[in-house]
Amino acid sequence: MNLTDNMADNINMQVEIAGIKLKNPVIAASGTFGFGREYAEYVDLNKIGGISVKGLTLQKRRGNKPPRIAETPAGILNSVGLQNPGVKEFIEKEIPFLRKFDTAVIANIAGNTIEEYCEMAEILSSANIDAIELNVSCPNVKAGCVAFGNTVSGISEITRKVRAFCKKPLIVKLTPNVTDIKEIAKAAEDSGADAISLINTILGMAIDIHKRRPVLANNMGGLSGPAVKPVAVRMTYEVASIVKIPVIGMGGISSGDDAIEFMLAGACAVMVGTANFVNPEACVDVAEGIKKYLEKYNYKSVYDIIGKLELNE
Amino acid sequence: MTNSGAQKGTPLDAQPVGRKGVYPYLKRTPLDVQFTGGKGVSPYLNRTPLDVQPVGRKGVYPVVRLDALAPDIYLMRIASGYIAENALPGQFVNIRSCEGINTLLRRPISILRVDRDKGAFDIVFQVRGKGTGMLAMKKAGDTVDIIGPLGKPFFINESFRKIAVVGGGIGIFPLLFLLKEMQSAEKTVFLGFRNKECIVLSDDFEKACDSLHIATDDGSAGRKGLVTGLLEESLDNGQTFDIIYACGPGPMLKKVAYLAKKHNIRCQVSLEQRMGCGIGACLVCACKTKQGDDWDYSHVCKDGPVFWSDQIIFDE
């Protein structure tokens, strides 16, 4: 073992978010990693800090009409519409598989009504998962969801009510499609969120000029990928500087350097989404990239860089 | 230096005018392509039943050659022993068109044929946008980042003695691989194209089957009309098949499925849809399928691209 290896081994990659210990600060983002099993052939799930599973609803959902995806400059637009087998099948079929691996399991939930969110939180509280991520930011479904997440009163009410049923750490995932993300984040914190994750996708549209119609069957969809990163970094910075609870940053991360930007801006952990589609090993690559950065600047722990951004005068 | 602009300018405050130009890249030295080798044995020989789905793998492989077959249609030969040995007809590879983030998503492209002895496989693609445009600029010796082979292959059974294969436009390509693997069956092939200029690889198809029938929309080659017309005529004339395999545009597949049902012949269709991950995680490549008395969205990348035609609910 040479000196470099020694130093790398001394770097502490662990982070703790709302009581959940993650071996490294990289989590696969909801909707981009299925239930883990789809990627298990391509990447060692044991090397990923956590997996936020595909957004779950109380009942099975078929999702939106195709086409559900459009490629845009440095990004993609999607309108899957929360296709999933429902929370019960997730518990029966997917949790046992996920638990074979040493990685945190986060259940991302979405609903049409506050009651549905509460019921899911209650059911999942007795399931073998590490945390619940409240998806109040999906732009692709007609009823509920983002409607709860884009006003201070909406986010306060849903967070407070779900909190009462949720025995697991509660992460609230914010939508960027608001005027002031700070007041939304503060409202989530004040209403009992244990952590905040951001950003969900930015509402967008792509048009097929030859057909003179939107590319997506649903007309609009959520933009993700490198194109959204500067917006996501800015919002992560704004939120991290105003709340005391941990912030999980995401939006266009595909390398360790991308992740470092979010961590300097105040994120305790990051989620990797769209990059998984391009590179199935993206989560592991990001974790290794973070480690390399820490090594390069002689940091001993991830915590040495979290929120260490110094603004220009 | 005789004509230096700086010599004429006095003193050295003359600022040369920048100019935008497009200049040729330095000539590449031809690179030797390393074949990774492979066993010359069809994976079918050892597999029963024949609907096994091999595990895709991510790899970076060299391009052996790139040929233009027709305007905007390219054939690319890629050296990969793993894919050559493991790919089955109907499967696809998910290929990155470039490094970086210019075109983010991989492009799913079906496998035209494999050369197991040399450890290489061929794909054919049509330039439709930026991503496929970049693929068309690759040269021998360049590398491509590929995940594959992916997807459910065509179902092949030794008991299928007489088969029909129906292809339309750029949907014909996975069918050549299928024909090559079904050597002992009697194979009737119907291919449809827009016009004569769009016909590609017809010699290869001719060699791989017992009888080839071509239709073009404008009648510039073969029969004028739709390829499904040729199939319909053949069936109406009393031809029977153990199975029909089809790949092409949606309306063509819908008609083939209808004809197969009418004549009580089992039928498989290979579908196309915009994809994201290609491995069943992102759920974007949805297609409507029957589930008992109900329906659901299946996914072309993992549940397909090949489906039994009676599973599919075709759009109106």
Side-chain angles (χ1 to χ4, degrees):
Chain A
M1 193 181 277
N2 61 36
L3 189 65
T4 335
D5 284 339
N6 253 323
M7 281 169 57
D9 288 342
N10 288 334
I11 292 169
N12 185 1
M13 290 287 283
Q14 276 188 24
V15 289
E16 194 176 318
I17 288 168
I20 327 159
K21 285 194 176 65
L22 304 178
K23 68 170 64 159
N24 67 51
V26 182
I27 303 167
S30 176
T32 65
F33 214 69
F35 295 108
R37 67 168 77 235
E38 295 84 353
Y39 278 91
E41 288 167 8
Y42 299 94
V43 61
D44 183 358
L45 302 184
N46 296 302
K47 290 185 176 168
I48 301 175
I51 295 171
S52 180
V53 302
K54 174 68 195 167
L56 300 163
T57 48
L58 193 55
Q59 309 296 338
K60 167 190 162 75
R61 264 185 82 98
R62 286 171 177 155
N64 293 335
K65 251 180 89 169
R68 294 175 173 183
I69 193 166
E71 190 179 69
T72 56
I76 58 169
L77 274 179
N78 89 83
S79 71
V80 172
L82 288 173
Q83 179 170 14
N84 80 96
V87 71
K88 288 202 178 76
E89 192 174 316
F90 165 70
I91 291 171
E92 284 163 21
K93 291 194 181 153
E94 303 299 342
I95 292 180
F97 177 83
L98 281 163
R99 280 308 181 195
K100 290 183 199 164
F101 301 91
D102 177 23
T103 187
V105 176
I106 300 168
N108 179 291
I109 62 169
N112 296 321
T113 62
I114 292 184
E115 289 69 32
E116 282 183 11
Y117 279 96
C118 292
E119 198 178 335
M120 276 188 280
E122 192 173 21
I123 295 168
L124 285 162
S125 285
S126 52
N128 186 8
I129 55 162
D130 296 295
I132 291 176
E133 185 175 47
L134 201 59
N135 180 355
V136 284
S137 42
C138 176
N140 293 324
V141 291
K142 285 199 177 69
C145 217
V146 75
F148 302 114
N150 59 12
T151 63
V152 166
S153 60
I155 201 119
S156 301
E157 187 187 1
I158 197 163
T159 307
R160 201 178 61 248
K161 287 189 172 161
V162 172
R163 177 76 278 175
F165 289 90
C166 180
K167 308 280 182 290
K168 302 278 182 185
L170 182 64
I171 304 164
V172 177
K173 185 170 182 176
L174 304 185
T175 172
N177 304 312
V178 293
T179 309
D180 182 2
I181 193 97
K182 298 190 291 294
E183 57 176 27
I184 306 277
K186 198 81 188 73
E189 179 182 38
D190 293 345
S191 307
D194 297 309
I196 281 170
S197 58
L198 81 165
I199 59 173
N200 205 319
T201 53
I202 301 176
L203 191 60
M205 191 175 194
I207 295 172
D208 182 330
I209 59 166
H210 307 290
K211 295 180 182 160
R212 291 173 284 280
R213 279 173 179 275
V215 178
L216 298 176
N218 204 38
N219 297 324
M220 294 181 198
L223 180 65
S224 63
V228 311
K229 200 185 79 181
V231 177
V233 171
R234 184 264 295 177
M235 288 189 163
T236 299
Y237 170 75
E238 286 184 328
V239 168
S241 23
I242 202 167
V243 299
K244 293 184 182 65
I245 52 177
V247 172
I248 304 169
M250 81 189 94
I253 296 175
S254 58
S255 68
D257 291 0
D258 293 338
I260 297 292
E261 282 195 56
F262 284 82
M263 301 185 88
L264 289 170
C268 296
V270 294
M271 287 184 173
V272 174
T274 304
N276 292 310
F277 300 161
V278 186
N279 170 19
E281 294 161 303
C283 289
V284 174
D285 289 354
V286 169
E288 280 169 5
I290 293 172
K291 201 169 182 178
K292 278 209 181 94
Y293 176 87
L294 297 175
E295 203 183 309
K296 184 176 174 187
Y297 291 98
N298 289 316
Y299 291 117
K300 295 280 174 289
S301 156
V302 178
Y303 284 99
D304 293 342
I305 58 161
I306 294 171
K308 292 296 157 63
L309 176 73
E310 290 176 44
L311 287 191
N312 299 322
E313 292 303 312
Chain B
M1 285 227 274
T2 47
N3 278 325
S4 164
Q7 282 181 341
K8 287 180 188 164
T10 40
L12 291 173
D13 59 351
Q15 195 173 349
V17 179
R19 189 184 281 179
K20 185 176 170 298
V22 181
Y23 305 107
Y25 193 65
L26 281 179
K27 239 186 193 163
R28 288 164 199 264
T29 45
L31 282 166
D32 278 336
V33 176
Q34 291 292 321
F35 287 102
T36 42
K39 294 188 209 96
V41 181
S42 162
Y44 281 130
L45 295 178
N46 306 318
R47 285 182 193 169
T48 41
L50 294 173
D51 57 349
V52 206
Q53 191 169 356
V55 176
R57 190 186 279 181
K58 185 172 173 295
V60 177
Y61 307 111
V63 174
V64 181
R65 57 191 291 181
L66 183 82
D67 301 321
L69 299 182
D72 288 339
I73 308 251
Y74 293 85
L75 185 150
M76 185 184 278
R77 168 157 285 217
I78 299 160
S80 164
Y82 181 78
I83 292 174
E85 273 182 49
N86 289 283
L88 299 172
Q91 289 195 298
F92 65 93
V93 292
N94 215 4
I95 181 166
R96 259 185 104 167
S97 51
C98 64
E99 290 288 309
I101 57 174
N102 198 355
T103 54
L104 211 53
L105 294 172
R106 291 170 181 273
R107 298 320 195 236
I109 301 175
S110 56
I111 297 166
L112 174 80
R113 64 188 159 209
V114 300
D115 185 333
R116 296 190 183 96
D117 291 323
K118 287 198 172 137
F121 69 98
D122 293 348
I123 55 173
V124 177
F125 59 92
Q126 181 179 36
V127 173
R128 289 202 215 169
K130 262 197 293 184
T132 40
M134 293 217 189
L135 273 184
M137 284 157 62
K138 296 269 182 191
K139 291 179 182 66
D142 288 351
T143 55
V144 278
D145 179 338
I146 287 177
I147 298 176
L150 294 171
K152 286 227 162 67
F154 286 110
F155 180 83
I156 302 177
N157 193 294
E158 302 276 318
S159 71
F160 298 160
R161 307 309 309 163
K162 280 185 78 178
I163 67 161
V165 165
V166 188
I170 57 161
I172 67 169
F173 304 117
L175 300 169
L176 186 64
F177 191 3
L178 176 77
L179 292 167
K180 284 176 175 288
E181 292 295 311
M182 298 193 74
Q183 282 180 0
S184 58
E186 184 189 329
K187 300 171 283 274
T188 308
V189 176
F190 305 94
L191 301 180
F193 302 92
R194 202 176 309 140
N195 55 48
K196 196 179 172 185
E197 283 67 45
C198 294
I199 298 178
V200 289
L201 298 174
S202 57
D203 291 349
D204 297 74
F205 274 91
E206 185 121 46
K207 272 183 227 154
C209 71
D210 297 284
S211 61
L212 173 66
H213 309 271
I214 286 177
T216 53
D217 293 351
D218 64 356
S220 52
R223 176 80 67 85
K224 182 177 174 167
L226 297 175
V227 66
T228 46
L230 293 176
L231 174 69
E232 186 166 22
E233 195 174 289
S234 160
L235 291 168
D236 287 344
N237 287 340
Q239 270 278 12
T240 58
F241 302 105
D242 295 320
I243 188 165
I244 300 172
Y245 299 102
C247 184
M252 184 203 99
L253 295 180
K254 188 179 177 182
K255 186 70 193 279
V256 173
Y258 163 80
L259 291 171
K261 193 177 174 193
K262 185 178 161 194
H263 292 270
N264 202 21
I265 300 171
R266 78 200 107 188
C267 174
Q268 284 206 309
V269 293
S270 177
L271 302 187
E272 203 183 22
Q273 185 52 267
R274 282 170 188 268
M275 285 185 194
C277 66
I279 59 174
C282 75
L283 309 181
V284 302
C285 55
C287 64
K288 254 187 189 177
T289 53
K290 289 175 195 158
Q291 311 281 328
D293 293 333
D294 206 357
W295 67 273
D296 204 354
Y297 280 124
S298 292
H299 296 96
V300 173
C301 71
K302 187 102 180 184
D303 305 314
V306 177
F307 294 87
W308 290 102
S309 64
D310 55 7
Q311 278 182 285
I312 299 296
I313 301 168
F314 292 96
D315 284 337
E316 292 311 310

